[in-house]
Amino acid sequence: GKGKYCTNQIVKMGSNAYGFQCHIELSKDMFYNWIIEDDDLNKLDYNSLDFDYNQLKIKYEEIGNRIFKNFLKIANFDIK
């Protein structure tokens, strides 16, 4: 996968190893805590971050859930 600020966000090594340079587990609470606590995010405009997050959150959560479910399926973990 590729991102605007990080060229390789997901990499695959061989047939069984994957690396993620992203936070597929991001939740609404995590995001707003990061805005408050992270020095780099504090330098950015809160309203812009809030707007961007709200535009992307549903798709972001869908993709994150799909990645988790696919991982569990590959690992032969029974999900219902």
Side-chain angles (χ1 to χ4, degrees):
K2 294 184 182 279
K4 183 175 179 181
Y5 300 107
C6 181
T7 303
N8 297 307
Q9 291 187 325
I10 301 174
V11 296
K12 180 178 180 183
M13 298 293 291
S15 61
N16 294 325
Y18 295 85
F20 291 83
Q21 179 57 42
C22 56
H23 288 278
I24 59 174
E25 80 284 6
L26 182 65
S27 69
K28 179 180 177 179
D29 290 340
M30 286 173 62
F31 179 76
Y32 288 104
N33 283 336
W34 287 355
I35 291 176
I36 295 166
E37 297 171 0
D38 185 271
D39 290 336
D40 290 328
L41 290 175
N42 281 312
K43 295 174 188 171
L44 303 175
D45 179 62
Y46 178 91
N47 291 326
S48 294
L49 292 170
D50 180 56
F51 178 82
D52 289 346
Y53 174 75
N54 283 294
Q55 294 294 308
L56 299 170
K57 71 180 176 182
I58 292 172
K59 189 70 169 171
Y60 194 95
E61 289 173 2
E62 288 174 358
I63 292 169
N65 285 329
R66 187 175 342 135
I67 290 169
F68 277 128
K69 287 178 182 178
N70 287 342
F71 173 78
L72 293 173
K73 184 178 179 182
I74 291 169
N76 292 319
F77 186 83
D78 186 25
I79 56 174
K80 299 182 190 244

